[in-house]
Amino acid sequence: IVLGATGVFALSQVTGSVAQENRKLLSQVSDIRNRLSRVREEEEDIRRKIDRYRDLVTRGIIGPEARLDWMEQIARIKSERRLPGIDYEILPQAPIAADLLPPAPGPYEFMASPMRLRLALLHENDLLDFLDDLDRSLGALVVIRECRIERAPVDNGHHDAAAQLQAECLLDLITLRDKS
């Protein structure tokens, strides 16, 4: 009986020890699964950021400003939209004021090229369509600072049939450039 009781006691001790070791291993497996899940989420986040970066590079937002391309796009939009007249001036590029945008991530800085734009329009939608096309086609983020639309001046009592309105806008063409 003593020998049997000792065996049962020893077996219960071993069983308790094995159960405790099993709980410890299950906890470790759970921790490993949680870490693996976080790593997968971080990997997916990094992939999304890389894709976004590539998109910005492809669109021309990251890198040197492409003024010649901008001028070609403006001429293309004017032609496609059959706008009666357009005049613009792109001012020198300068760092963006810190109060307008937070600092750029990594080794980049936001740069703005102010653009003064004067358009002869048939109607106000011409301006909206032009600005929309400009935003989609330029290799820069287009930020509209201000726009003013007025009736086109009357010349000797006759309106120019091609231009009923005139608009003046101040835009910022924003790009990212390497600080170094």
Side-chain angles (χ1 to χ4, degrees):
I1 294 178
V2 171
L3 189 58
T6 303
V8 169
F9 177 73
L11 186 59
S12 81
Q13 289 296 322
V14 168
T15 303
S17 174
V18 167
Q20 184 179 2
E21 185 67 27
N22 187 35
R23 284 191 297 275
K24 182 179 172 184
L25 290 174
L26 287 175
S27 176
Q28 287 176 345
V29 166
S30 177
D31 288 345
I32 290 170
R33 282 186 181 147
N34 288 337
R35 280 190 260 152
L36 180 60
S37 175
R38 283 193 304 271
V39 166
R40 285 183 179 151
E41 288 171 5
E42 289 173 6
E43 178 185 23
E44 185 60 33
D45 187 44
I46 290 170
R47 283 190 180 146
R48 280 192 303 271
K49 288 179 181 178
I50 288 171
D51 289 343
R52 181 70 178 137
Y53 174 80
R54 286 181 181 151
D55 178 52
L56 292 173
V57 169
T58 301
R59 288 181 54 203
I61 293 175
I62 294 178
E65 64 179 0
R67 286 181 180 238
L68 183 57
D69 290 341
W70 295 350
M71 292 175 2
E72 289 171 356
Q73 289 300 322
I74 291 169
R76 181 191 59 78
I77 295 168
K78 178 186 183 280
S79 174
E80 287 177 0
R81 293 277 174 198
R82 297 183 185 140
L83 296 173
I86 182 170
D87 184 34
Y88 63 92
E89 175 185 14
I90 301 174
L91 302 172
Q93 186 182 49
I96 242 175
D99 60 330
L100 293 179
L101 283 175
Y108 297 100
E109 64 182 332
F110 286 112
M111 300 298 289
S113 298
M115 179 171 140
R116 290 191 183 119
L117 175 67
R118 287 170 293 287
L119 293 162
L121 309 166
L122 293 174
H123 53 82
E124 55 277 347
N125 278 344
D126 285 342
L127 175 62
L128 298 174
D129 292 339
F130 177 84
L131 293 173
D132 188 46
D133 289 348
L134 199 66
D135 186 46
R136 281 188 275 127
S137 64
L138 288 191
L141 175 64
V142 178
V143 176
I144 303 167
R145 292 282 199 136
E146 63 182 60
C147 273
R148 187 176 61 242
I149 300 177
E150 299 174 343
R151 289 202 176 277
V154 177
D155 184 23
N156 295 330
H158 302 299
H159 266 301
D160 180 4
Q164 299 298 314
L165 302 170
Q166 62 186 18
E168 290 188 27
C169 297
L170 179 59
L171 312 172
D172 279 334
L173 306 177
I174 298 175
T175 57
L176 281 167
R177 80 169 181 193
D178 198 338
K179 288 179 185 176
S180 53

